[in-house]
Amino acid sequence: MTSHFRAGLRPLALAASFGVVNAVGPNQRRLSGPLRFMPPKSAKTSDLTIYMTGFGPFMGVEQNPTSTLCETFRKYLQQGMVPEGVDKELLKEFDESGIALEGLKVLEVAAESCRSEVPEIVNHLKQRKAESQGDAVILHLGVASNRDAISLECRGVNEATFRVPDERGYQCCGEDVVADSAPVMFCSLDLPKILAEMHDRGVKCEMSTDAGRFLCNYVFFHSLHAAKPFDIPVLFVHVPPFKDMDHAAQVVGLLCLFMAIARQLRDAPVSVPQRSGRLMG
């Protein structure tokens, strides 16, 4: 069963309606850190749906930070539990953004599970788009134990080489993720612009060209392949362990990512950072 929650809806409102939270008015200006945030002039009630997933534990990772992040957003949207250490103004901005955050599912780290989950996600979002409920994006999260920043993966590779068996005991070497598909598929979002906006907001982030060859790349490529005919962008994001980037910083980073994606798909003006005051050149 697909779970879905909308930004700004608390339990009573959630029970009463799944309607879209209105975006801020066209003349409102919001200041968030060093970034001046101006909503699009044609702010619409038709929202953007971001379907987010995380992963569960696997060999060597008993507590996957992505499952914790999914749980954090579920508790905020369902129960109103404010994440510790996250600025309330940023949360308010998200609440009023008109973004529908759906899924928040923790996927099993298994190839068979990914093959069954991806078509369900794509079919759900395809139906939403057909019903003219705005744009949709698939956002997968995974952990990268050797990184210390949020990494936006720009491409998936049609190769599966599992260095260890997945959680159902399956292991492969050099096999296609999807038979007869392209060797490489790219995220259709303009990631440099998204990355720039996240940097403007003070998020430690980077763009990556290598999502690995394990389940992260596996689900990424499966989703890219399945979603392409329906013009649904897919992005995979690697997050560090919490010891290298704490929970609050990662929640803030994801909130900023959600809103940067929304700005891009709504053709909002590019964000303009305030001058840093440093002498340049």
Side-chain angles (χ1 to χ4, degrees):
M1 180 178 179
T2 301
S3 59
H4 55 130
F5 313 114
R6 295 183 181 278
L9 291 180
R10 298 296 177 258
L12 290 178
L14 189 66
S17 170
F18 281 99
V20 178
V21 178
N22 290 332
V24 293
N27 297 319
Q28 288 181 273
R29 184 181 296 269
R30 180 171 286 110
L31 189 64
S32 178
L35 178 68
R36 296 197 302 273
F37 180 86
M38 176 64 80
K41 292 183 178 179
S42 57
K44 302 175 181 178
T45 56
S46 59
D47 64 336
L48 163 68
T49 300
I50 297 179
Y51 195 106
M52 190 170 88
T53 71
F55 272 122
F58 62 98
M59 189 175 294
V61 180
E62 294 183 4
Q63 181 59 49
N64 196 316
T66 66
S67 61
T68 303
L69 291 165
C70 286
E71 182 182 13
T72 296
F73 281 103
R74 277 198 304 270
K75 287 182 175 179
Y76 177 63
L77 296 171
Q78 283 185 298
Q79 304 169 27
M81 291 181 61
V82 176
E84 186 176 350
V86 177
D87 182 70
K88 291 185 179 179
E89 284 301 310
L90 181 62
L91 288 168
K92 180 181 178 183
E93 185 178 334
F94 169 65
D95 286 345
E96 297 176 352
S97 68
I99 297 169
L101 187 58
E102 296 192 0
L104 303 175
K105 299 179 73 172
V106 176
L107 305 180
E108 183 184 5
V109 182
E112 184 178 356
S113 175
C114 291
R115 289 195 300 269
S116 64
E117 290 281 358
V118 166
E120 291 184 8
I121 294 170
V122 172
N123 285 336
H124 169 68
L125 295 180
K126 177 181 70 173
Q127 182 177 348
R128 290 184 64 78
K129 285 173 66 74
E131 294 169 353
S132 300
Q133 296 190 37
D135 289 309
V137 174
I138 298 171
L139 177 62
H140 295 301
L141 303 182
V143 61
S145 59
N146 60 345
R147 303 185 193 181
D148 63 358
I150 292 174
S151 299
L152 311 184
E153 300 291 349
C154 71
R155 62 184 179 180
V157 179
N158 194 10
E159 179 192 330
T161 298
F162 295 179
R163 57 183 174 78
V164 295
D166 70 14
E167 289 300 286
R168 298 191 186 182
Y170 174 70
Q171 190 170 13
C172 56
C173 183
E175 295 182 9
D176 288 346
V177 177
V178 179
D180 301 320
S181 185
V184 179
M185 296 188 74
F186 290 84
C187 175
S188 60
L189 296 169
D190 191 338
L191 295 184
K193 287 184 179 179
I194 291 173
L195 198 69
E197 180 160 326
M198 292 175 70
H199 277 161
D200 289 345
R201 289 181 177 266
V203 178
K204 188 177 183 181
C205 55
E206 62 189 11
M207 188 159 63
S208 168
T209 60
D210 186 5
R213 297 294 184 273
F214 194 42
L215 265 296
C216 292
N217 176 74
Y218 195 89
V219 74
F220 187 23
F221 191 89
H222 257 291
S223 292
L224 286 167
H225 176 86
K228 184 176 180 180
F230 310 107
D231 195 28
I232 298 173
V234 181
L235 174 60
F236 194 97
V237 174
H238 268 120
V239 301
F242 288 140
K243 66 180 178 60
D244 296 316
M245 186 177 194
D246 67 36
H247 175 261
Q250 293 197 32
V251 172
V252 167
L254 289 174
L255 287 168
C256 293
L257 173 62
F258 301 156
M259 290 183 282
I261 291 172
R263 288 171 63 83
Q264 184 170 125
L265 294 181
R266 292 169 177 167
D267 294 322
V270 177
S271 63
V272 180
Q274 292 183 352
R275 294 179 62 182
S276 66
R278 292 184 299 168
L279 295 177
M280 306 290 285

